[in-house]
Amino acid sequence: MALTVQDVERFEASRPRLEAIAYRLLGSASEAEDAVQDTFLRWQGADADRIEVLEAWLTKVLTNLCLNQLTSARARRETYVGQWLPEPLLAGDPMLGPADTVEQRDSLSYAVLALMERLSPNERAVYVLREAFGHPHREIAEILDISEAAAQQVFHRAKKHIADGRTRTEIDEAAARRVIEEFLAAATSGRTEPLVRLLTQDAIAVGDGGGKFPARAKAFEGALAVATFMRGLFKPGKAQRALAGGSPGIHVTAANGAPAVVVVVDGRVIGVMCLEVTGEGIAGIRSQVNPDKLERATRRWSASGHGEPLFRPF
């Protein structure tokens, strides 16, 4: 169909919501943008007379495009170099979408996005549409062409998988930030013991370098192993400075709705460290250092105001 100015405006009004859905489904901002653009092209070629509710139609088309993408992504990730982690989004990024409820914030958290990789494409779609965007099971069933009873079963199964992976309760943002600042102070102290005290005994540390930046293929597991790795990571030295490409500034800001560590060199984000802070201590450290997955973060960082770094380790 030939789109009018009003048609384009209607779609653009829906774009932020569509991008927020696609990001949660795919874990990639660039892939989310592509999926939303493909949705626009599908709408452009659709028969307008057969579309009763535009928002519902767009959501159905987008979700099914993302499901196809998730299916092919699973095959690609089998050959991915090292660990695969989602692309982090810094505070203020419009793709973050709604974060008014606990469920919406949880669906956006880096830890949950990583856990969603365990779900099947259908489980992930049902979980996101229901938990983050409040779609009734009847609407989800129509979007996925399954029965309402099946949609409910898939949702409960997906929610259980996520709950099983998160056995601890996270703490509030201000307390989490204080813990992260203590963690950074301990990491730069040159001593392992203060770090161990801040970590849970079963803590993990994992990084995604995508084969373009050094990152261990296997996660570090256990408080002592994680603490030893972190102490070495922040230890001053020529090798670290060469690897970073200069003197990095360490900032504590927000990513995916929670306090996180952002490492910046000459205005370029070279790492985002998302810490899973719980009442028992830091349970997970997930670091995104793949430069391909930090381009959007760098653009966001350059466009937003931020203070001086907390410190420069070397």
Side-chain angles (χ1 to χ4, degrees):
M1 66 180 182
L3 298 181
T4 65
V5 172
Q6 289 75 21
D7 291 331
V8 175
E9 288 176 346
R10 288 177 68 195
F11 184 87
E12 290 304 318
S14 299
R15 185 182 290 275
R17 180 177 178 276
L18 295 174
E19 287 188 345
I21 292 174
Y23 170 70
R24 284 168 167 83
L25 287 175
L26 300 174
S28 165
S30 58
E31 290 180 2
E33 288 176 329
D34 290 343
V36 172
Q37 191 58 31
D38 285 346
T39 302
F40 177 80
L41 295 176
R42 299 288 179 94
W43 178 50
Q44 194 174 25
D47 183 353
D49 295 334
R50 300 183 63 181
I51 300 175
E52 296 181 5
V53 181
L54 178 60
E55 194 68 32
W57 187 90
L58 292 174
T59 302
K60 180 180 178 69
V61 170
L62 174 75
T63 301
N64 283 284
L65 285 170
C66 288
L67 286 174
N68 292 337
Q69 182 75 7
L70 283 171
T71 301
S72 62
R74 289 194 164 214
R76 291 200 311 273
R77 286 170 194 171
E78 290 179 1
T79 60
Y80 190 82
V81 179
Q83 298 278 344
W84 188 96
L85 289 174
E87 179 178 349
L89 297 182
L90 300 186
D93 193 311
M95 197 175 282
L96 289 168
D100 300 322
T101 66
V102 172
E103 292 77 14
Q104 288 172 339
R105 290 191 292 273
D106 276 352
S107 71
L108 180 65
S109 78
Y110 206 69
V112 169
L113 283 176
L115 283 172
M116 279 200 275
E117 288 297 305
R118 304 178 184 180
L119 305 181
S120 70
N122 261 23
E123 286 173 341
R124 188 162 183 161
V126 171
Y127 182 82
V128 167
L129 291 172
R130 177 65 179 170
E131 195 79 345
F133 294 91
H135 284 271
H137 287 296
R138 173 183 53 79
E139 290 183 7
I140 295 173
E142 292 174 359
I143 289 171
L144 299 178
D145 293 323
I146 59 177
S147 69
E148 186 172 348
Q152 291 174 330
Q153 291 174 355
V154 171
F155 173 69
H156 291 306
R157 189 165 62 242
K159 194 165 184 178
K160 184 179 185 304
H161 287 323
I162 296 296
D164 288 345
R166 301 187 79 203
T167 57
R168 301 179 179 89
T169 303
E170 293 193 6
I171 60 178
D172 66 79
E173 184 175 338
R177 183 184 177 96
R178 287 194 297 271
V179 171
I180 291 176
E181 290 176 351
E182 287 180 33
F183 162 80
L184 290 172
T188 56
S189 71
R191 298 169 56 228
T192 305
E193 294 80 5
L195 278 169
V196 172
R197 288 196 294 269
L198 290 169
L199 298 164
T200 62
Q201 285 304 304
D202 58 351
I204 64 165
V206 58
D208 177 352
K212 299 185 177 183
F213 195 90
R216 192 169 185 257
K218 186 178 180 181
F220 290 92
E221 298 181 359
L224 182 58
V226 172
T228 302
F229 167 65
M230 287 295 155
R231 185 194 64 188
L233 186 66
F234 285 93
K235 184 179 179 181
K238 291 182 179 179
Q240 285 90 335
R241 184 182 176 89
L243 184 62
S247 178
I250 308 297
H251 300 257
V252 178
T253 180
N256 289 76
V261 177
V262 176
V263 185
V264 182
V265 174
D266 297 330
R268 177 172 54 90
V269 175
I270 66 165
V272 177
M273 187 180 292
C274 297
L275 282 72
E276 186 179 0
V277 185
T278 74
E280 293 78 28
I282 298 170
I285 301 171
R286 297 174 178 86
S287 302
Q288 184 56 260
V289 291
N290 182 345
D292 293 344
K293 296 183 182 181
L294 295 173
E295 292 179 357
R296 186 182 181 94
T298 293
R299 292 196 300 271
R300 182 72 203 171
W301 186 262
S302 299
S304 61
H306 45 78
E308 290 297 310
L310 191 63
F311 67 91
R312 294 185 180 275
F314 45 83

